Amino acid sequence: MLALTVAQAHHALSRPIDPVQHAVAFNPTYDQLWAPIYGPAHPYAKDGIAQGMRNHKLGFVEDASIEPFVFDEQYNTFHKYGYAADPSASAGNNYVGDLDALRENDSISVYSIPQHEQKKRKIEKKKEMEEDKDPEEVVDKVELDNPASDTWLMKNRKSPWAGKKEGQQTELTEEQKKYAEEYAKKKGEERERGGEKGEIVPDKSTFHGKEEKDYQGRSWIAPPKDAKATNDHCYIPKRLVHTWSGHTKGVSAIRFFPKHGHLILSAGMDTKVKIWDVFNSGKCMRTYMGHSKAVRDIWFCNDGTKFLTAGYDKNIKYWDTETGQVISSFSTGKIPYVVRLNPDDDKQNILLAGMSDKKIVQWDMNTAQITQEYDQHLGAVNTITFVDNNRRFVTSSDDKSLRVWEFGIPVVIKYISEPHMHSMPSISLHPSTNYLAAQSLDNQILIYGTRERFQLNKKKRFAGHIVAGYACQVNFSPDGRFVMSGDGEGKCWFWDWKTCRVFRTLKCHEGVCIGCEWHPLEQSKVATCGWDGLIKYWD
């Protein structure tokens, strides 16, 4: 009896205190009160205590001498069976918890399998192997000893290739050979073109006019000598004078020939780009076919002899207007939403493209190399507008912000983003170059100054049209007196710049009026395009 009493007292003194219990049934010693913490280390705080608190006034916290796996095993065993090994116990008192359950289960843990269970599994595995064995199968002993044979693989179940036979290599059919050759050829072409990722389509162009040169040897794109502006005063158009109908799907953009406007270029969703005569016959002069999907944007160089096209097939192409030849092609593997050339005459080889992957990519077209990437936007880039004598440019994006960049430097110098702002899919520069008109998707046109601060002009706001959900173009008359815009109901709207009042609306198209351009010389003439595939000319 005395021996039992001493053993129990010793067990009580050597047992660590359970931190969960609220009352201690015995008088603990100093060693028990300040015993080290047991269990794996905390992943973020060292042993559950901040690093600076380790040497605190109540003692020094030591690391536990127990592996995480052992801790997990004993923790789960205690929750399943009610007992667990005591890591700090003396010899003979190795377990805590339900000792009756310990004896019944023969002190197994959740991760250890009992002997009878192991024996049962071995018997079941042996039965499975015997069932798989074919009794009539004649086993060749030489084959069985050769590790390279199928017999050896089938018999040695430990091999990861057991039961797996490699199919014999058969010769390719003619069709498969042909496909492999075509695929290799296509990959080789892509490599030669500098890793172009856009869809490759053969470039074609068809001339529809009578002759490419006149009796004096002048090209068909040469501007007429008598084309001059009669005065500087613009007027609102009233009537329809001509309709061009050659596209089989909607027209996404139109551009007049620079300075003279005797030709008009149109980008169609039918993958074609067409150029039309404005002054004389009014017919289609040439069709450019080089994209496999709808054409998103077009842009003339300063003298109009060349132009850019951007398509949903991820390609940007630089065309010769007169001959219809593709001078160069560019692609990053993303869809270009807007393409622009630097307006300076000495920088006509620099191309900027706003892409669907939030970047503005700058190419040098002479070397076909990407020279700069502007990548601060958080959404697809919709517009690029040069300001401040072409030293800076403004971009808008699906992230509902405007950003101003110094040309050639990929750092935003001005960031405009307000909670009330919407996406701005079209921006136009006022002829005075002091203002920007931005088509906002909350059915209004906002005006921003282009001076140092790029502030919103709260006094000028043009509203009344419905453009929510459509990338309708906004534009100015050449004298800056009128603002015009297409809308989602097929109308073209005209506002007075000074008073912001609506002057006139023209019912132009069935569906959406997507683009509108004021003629650079004829003061009362405007061209509009829409999703009905028509281009209309108004006077």
Side-chain angles (χ1 to χ4, degrees), residues 443-459:
N443 300 327
Q444 59 180 341
I445 296 168
L446 303 175
I447 305 298
Y448 289 88
T450 59
R451 294 300 173 203
E452 292 302 315
R453 299 185 68 188
F454 287 91
Q455 264 189 324
L456 174 66
N457 189 332
K458 293 179 181 175
K459 292 181 182 177

PDB file of all heavy atoms in Angstrom, residues 443-459:
ATOM      1  N   ASN A 443     -23.838  58.348 -70.888  1.00  0.00           N
ATOM      2  CA  ASN A 443     -24.647  59.168 -71.796  1.00  0.00           C
ATOM      3  C   ASN A 443     -24.311  60.659 -71.711  1.00  0.00           C
ATOM      4  O   ASN A 443     -25.215  61.493 -71.719  1.00  0.00           O
ATOM      5  CB  ASN A 443     -26.151  58.952 -71.551  1.00  0.00           C
ATOM      6  CG  ASN A 443     -26.552  57.518 -71.775  1.00  0.00           C
ATOM      7  OD1 ASN A 443     -25.981  56.844 -72.633  1.00  0.00           O
ATOM      8  ND2 ASN A 443     -27.504  57.030 -71.014  1.00  0.00           N
ATOM      9  N   GLN A 444     -23.032  60.978 -71.650  1.00  0.00           N
ATOM     10  CA  GLN A 444     -22.638  62.384 -71.707  1.00  0.00           C
ATOM     11  C   GLN A 444     -21.221  62.491 -72.269  1.00  0.00           C
ATOM     12  O   GLN A 444     -20.470  61.512 -72.279  1.00  0.00           O
ATOM     13  CB  GLN A 444     -22.725  63.040 -70.330  1.00  0.00           C
ATOM     14  CG  GLN A 444     -21.861  62.406 -69.264  1.00  0.00           C
ATOM     15  CD  GLN A 444     -21.998  63.104 -67.924  1.00  0.00           C
ATOM     16  OE1 GLN A 444     -22.445  64.239 -67.859  1.00  0.00           O
ATOM     17  NE2 GLN A 444     -21.599  62.433 -66.863  1.00  0.00           N
ATOM     18  N   ILE A 445     -20.921  63.687 -72.764  1.00  0.00           N
ATOM     19  CA  ILE A 445     -19.570  63.968 -73.261  1.00  0.00           C
ATOM     20  C   ILE A 445     -18.924  64.930 -72.276  1.00  0.00           C
ATOM     21  O   ILE A 445     -19.476  65.991 -71.974  1.00  0.00           O
ATOM     22  CB  ILE A 445     -19.624  64.584 -74.677  1.00  0.00           C
ATOM     23  CG1 ILE A 445     -20.217  63.567 -75.665  1.00  0.00           C
ATOM     24  CG2 ILE A 445     -18.233  65.004 -75.133  1.00  0.00           C
ATOM     25  CD1 ILE A 445     -20.585  64.147 -77.001  1.00  0.00           C
ATOM     26  N   LEU A 446     -17.755  64.534 -71.743  1.00  0.00           N
ATOM     27  CA  LEU A 446     -17.045  65.350 -70.750  1.00  0.00           C
ATOM     28  C   LEU A 446     -15.870  66.048 -71.411  1.00  0.00           C
ATOM     29  O   LEU A 446     -15.254  65.505 -72.340  1.00  0.00           O
ATOM     30  CB  LEU A 446     -16.546  64.466 -69.598  1.00  0.00           C
ATOM     31  CG  LEU A 446     -17.616  63.650 -68.867  1.00  0.00           C
ATOM     32  CD1 LEU A 446     -16.968  62.738 -67.837  1.00  0.00           C
ATOM     33  CD2 LEU A 446     -18.624  64.561 -68.199  1.00  0.00           C
ATOM     34  N   ILE A 447     -15.562  67.243 -70.928  1.00  0.00           N
ATOM     35  CA  ILE A 447     -14.477  68.041 -71.499  1.00  0.00           C
ATOM     36  C   ILE A 447     -13.358  68.172 -70.464  1.00  0.00           C
ATOM     37  O   ILE A 447     -13.592  68.564 -69.326  1.00  0.00           O
ATOM     38  CB  ILE A 447     -14.979  69.445 -71.916  1.00  0.00           C
ATOM     39  CG1 ILE A 447     -16.172  69.323 -72.859  1.00  0.00           C
ATOM     40  CG2 ILE A 447     -13.856  70.245 -72.561  1.00  0.00           C
ATOM     41  CD1 ILE A 447     -15.891  68.609 -74.170  1.00  0.00           C
ATOM     42  N   TYR A 448     -12.137  67.837 -70.892  1.00  0.00           N
ATOM     43  CA  TYR A 448     -10.946  67.967 -70.049  1.00  0.00           C
ATOM     44  C   TYR A 448      -9.981  68.953 -70.702  1.00  0.00           C
ATOM     45  O   TYR A 448      -9.824  68.963 -71.932  1.00  0.00           O
ATOM     46  CB  TYR A 448     -10.238  66.617 -69.884  1.00  0.00           C
ATOM     47  CG  TYR A 448     -10.987  65.647 -69.013  1.00  0.00           C
ATOM     48  CD1 TYR A 448     -11.948  64.783 -69.552  1.00  0.00           C
ATOM     49  CD2 TYR A 448     -10.742  65.573 -67.647  1.00  0.00           C
ATOM     50  CE1 TYR A 448     -12.637  63.894 -68.756  1.00  0.00           C
ATOM     51  CE2 TYR A 448     -11.422  64.678 -66.840  1.00  0.00           C
ATOM     52  CZ  TYR A 448     -12.372  63.844 -67.401  1.00  0.00           C
ATOM     53  OH  TYR A 448     -13.057  62.965 -66.597  1.00  0.00           O
ATOM     54  N   GLY A 449      -9.329  69.783 -69.885  1.00  0.00           N
ATOM     55  CA  GLY A 449      -8.294  70.682 -70.395  1.00  0.00           C
ATOM     56  C   GLY A 449      -7.028  69.906 -70.693  1.00  0.00           C
ATOM     57  O   GLY A 449      -6.752  68.887 -70.058  1.00  0.00           O
ATOM     58  N   THR A 450      -6.239  70.392 -71.648  1.00  0.00           N
ATOM     59  CA  THR A 450      -4.995  69.694 -71.996  1.00  0.00           C
ATOM     60  C   THR A 450      -3.765  70.445 -71.484  1.00  0.00           C
ATOM     61  O   THR A 450      -2.642  70.105 -71.834  1.00  0.00           O
ATOM     62  CB  THR A 450      -4.865  69.546 -73.529  1.00  0.00           C
ATOM     63  OG1 THR A 450      -4.891  70.842 -74.118  1.00  0.00           O
ATOM     64  CG2 THR A 450      -5.984  68.712 -74.080  1.00  0.00           C
ATOM     65  N   ARG A 451      -3.992  71.459 -70.656  1.00  0.00           N
ATOM     66  CA  ARG A 451      -2.857  72.168 -70.061  1.00  0.00           C
ATOM     67  C   ARG A 451      -2.260  71.324 -68.933  1.00  0.00           C
ATOM     68  O   ARG A 451      -2.602  70.154 -68.792  1.00  0.00           O
ATOM     69  CB  ARG A 451      -3.314  73.544 -69.547  1.00  0.00           C
ATOM     70  CG  ARG A 451      -3.746  74.482 -70.664  1.00  0.00           C
ATOM     71  CD  ARG A 451      -2.604  74.736 -71.638  1.00  0.00           C
ATOM     72  NE  ARG A 451      -3.019  75.483 -72.801  1.00  0.00           N
ATOM     73  CZ  ARG A 451      -2.400  75.482 -73.945  1.00  0.00           C
ATOM     74  NH1 ARG A 451      -1.328  74.745 -74.108  1.00  0.00           N
ATOM     75  NH2 ARG A 451      -2.824  76.198 -74.961  1.00  0.00           N
ATOM     76  N   GLU A 452      -1.477  71.918 -68.080  1.00  0.00           N
ATOM     77  CA  GLU A 452      -0.712  71.160 -67.086  1.00  0.00           C
ATOM     78  C   GLU A 452      -1.573  70.270 -66.204  1.00  0.00           C
ATOM     79  O   GLU A 452      -1.214  69.154 -65.892  1.00  0.00           O
ATOM     80  CB  GLU A 452       0.098  72.137 -66.205  1.00  0.00           C
ATOM     81  CG  GLU A 452       1.220  72.839 -66.929  1.00  0.00           C
ATOM     82  CD  GLU A 452       2.210  71.858 -67.529  1.00  0.00           C
ATOM     83  OE1 GLU A 452       2.601  70.910 -66.841  1.00  0.00           O
ATOM     84  OE2 GLU A 452       2.578  72.026 -68.700  1.00  0.00           O
ATOM     85  N   ARG A 453      -2.763  70.757 -65.808  1.00  0.00           N
ATOM     86  CA  ARG A 453      -3.506  70.033 -64.765  1.00  0.00           C
ATOM     87  C   ARG A 453      -4.469  68.984 -65.310  1.00  0.00           C
ATOM     88  O   ARG A 453      -4.930  68.129 -64.558  1.00  0.00           O
ATOM     89  CB  ARG A 453      -4.265  71.047 -63.893  1.00  0.00           C
ATOM     90  CG  ARG A 453      -3.327  72.014 -63.187  1.00  0.00           C
ATOM     91  CD  ARG A 453      -4.057  72.922 -62.242  1.00  0.00           C
ATOM     92  NE  ARG A 453      -4.598  72.198 -61.104  1.00  0.00           N
ATOM     93  CZ  ARG A 453      -5.413  72.723 -60.210  1.00  0.00           C
ATOM     94  NH1 ARG A 453      -5.772  73.991 -60.325  1.00  0.00           N
ATOM     95  NH2 ARG A 453      -5.872  72.014 -59.197  1.00  0.00           N
ATOM     96  N   PHE A 454      -4.841  69.053 -66.585  1.00  0.00           N
ATOM     97  CA  PHE A 454      -5.773  68.104 -67.192  1.00  0.00           C
ATOM     98  C   PHE A 454      -7.057  67.982 -66.362  1.00  0.00           C
ATOM     99  O   PHE A 454      -7.512  66.896 -66.028  1.00  0.00           O
ATOM    100  CB  PHE A 454      -5.130  66.717 -67.350  1.00  0.00           C
ATOM    101  CG  PHE A 454      -4.106  66.675 -68.436  1.00  0.00           C
ATOM    102  CD1 PHE A 454      -2.776  66.943 -68.166  1.00  0.00           C
ATOM    103  CD2 PHE A 454      -4.466  66.414 -69.746  1.00  0.00           C
ATOM    104  CE1 PHE A 454      -1.814  66.929 -69.168  1.00  0.00           C
ATOM    105  CE2 PHE A 454      -3.507  66.397 -70.751  1.00  0.00           C
ATOM    106  CZ  PHE A 454      -2.178  66.659 -70.470  1.00  0.00           C
ATOM    107  N   GLN A 455      -7.633  69.135 -66.021  1.00  0.00           N
ATOM    108  CA  GLN A 455      -8.806  69.151 -65.157  1.00  0.00           C
ATOM    109  C   GLN A 455     -10.091  68.971 -65.945  1.00  0.00           C
ATOM    110  O   GLN A 455     -10.182  69.359 -67.114  1.00  0.00           O
ATOM    111  CB  GLN A 455      -8.876  70.478 -64.398  1.00  0.00           C
ATOM    112  CG  GLN A 455      -8.267  70.395 -63.008  1.00  0.00           C
ATOM    113  CD  GLN A 455      -8.550  71.646 -62.215  1.00  0.00           C
ATOM    114  OE1 GLN A 455      -8.567  72.735 -62.762  1.00  0.00           O
ATOM    115  NE2 GLN A 455      -8.773  71.513 -60.934  1.00  0.00           N
ATOM    116  N   LEU A 456     -11.097  68.433 -65.268  1.00  0.00           N
ATOM    117  CA  LEU A 456     -12.434  68.322 -65.858  1.00  0.00           C
ATOM    118  C   LEU A 456     -13.073  69.712 -65.882  1.00  0.00           C
ATOM    119  O   LEU A 456     -13.105  70.417 -64.869  1.00  0.00           O
ATOM    120  CB  LEU A 456     -13.285  67.360 -65.016  1.00  0.00           C
ATOM    121  CG  LEU A 456     -14.752  67.244 -65.422  1.00  0.00           C
ATOM    122  CD1 LEU A 456     -14.894  66.607 -66.792  1.00  0.00           C
ATOM    123  CD2 LEU A 456     -15.521  66.424 -64.391  1.00  0.00           C
ATOM    124  N   ASN A 457     -13.588  70.092 -67.049  1.00  0.00           N
ATOM    125  CA  ASN A 457     -14.286  71.374 -67.193  1.00  0.00           C
ATOM    126  C   ASN A 457     -15.753  71.140 -66.838  1.00  0.00           C
ATOM    127  O   ASN A 457     -16.524  70.596 -67.628  1.00  0.00           O
ATOM    128  CB  ASN A 457     -14.140  71.884 -68.630  1.00  0.00           C
ATOM    129  CG  ASN A 457     -14.643  73.299 -68.777  1.00  0.00           C
ATOM    130  OD1 ASN A 457     -15.530  73.735 -68.046  1.00  0.00           O
ATOM    131  ND2 ASN A 457     -14.082  74.019 -69.742  1.00  0.00           N
ATOM    132  N   LYS A 458     -16.139  71.533 -65.620  1.00  0.00           N
ATOM    133  CA  LYS A 458     -17.481  71.225 -65.142  1.00  0.00           C
ATOM    134  C   LYS A 458     -18.561  72.083 -65.807  1.00  0.00           C
ATOM    135  O   LYS A 458     -19.745  71.757 -65.737  1.00  0.00           O
ATOM    136  CB  LYS A 458     -17.542  71.398 -63.624  1.00  0.00           C
ATOM    137  CG  LYS A 458     -16.687  70.369 -62.903  1.00  0.00           C
ATOM    138  CD  LYS A 458     -16.715  70.537 -61.418  1.00  0.00           C
ATOM    139  CE  LYS A 458     -15.814  69.502 -60.751  1.00  0.00           C
ATOM    140  NZ  LYS A 458     -15.719  69.699 -59.302  1.00  0.00           N
ATOM    141  N   LYS A 459     -18.161  73.186 -66.440  1.00  0.00           N
ATOM    142  CA  LYS A 459     -19.145  74.058 -67.086  1.00  0.00           C
ATOM    143  C   LYS A 459     -19.575  73.526 -68.450  1.00  0.00           C
ATOM    144  O   LYS A 459     -20.628  73.887 -68.948  1.00  0.00           O
ATOM    145  CB  LYS A 459     -18.552  75.464 -67.245  1.00  0.00           C
ATOM    146  CG  LYS A 459     -18.347  76.172 -65.923  1.00  0.00           C
ATOM    147  CD  LYS A 459     -17.775  77.550 -66.136  1.00  0.00           C
ATOM    148  CE  LYS A 459     -17.540  78.232 -64.785  1.00  0.00           C
ATOM    149  NZ  LYS A 459     -16.924  79.560 -64.958  1.00  0.00           N
TER     150      LYS A 459
END
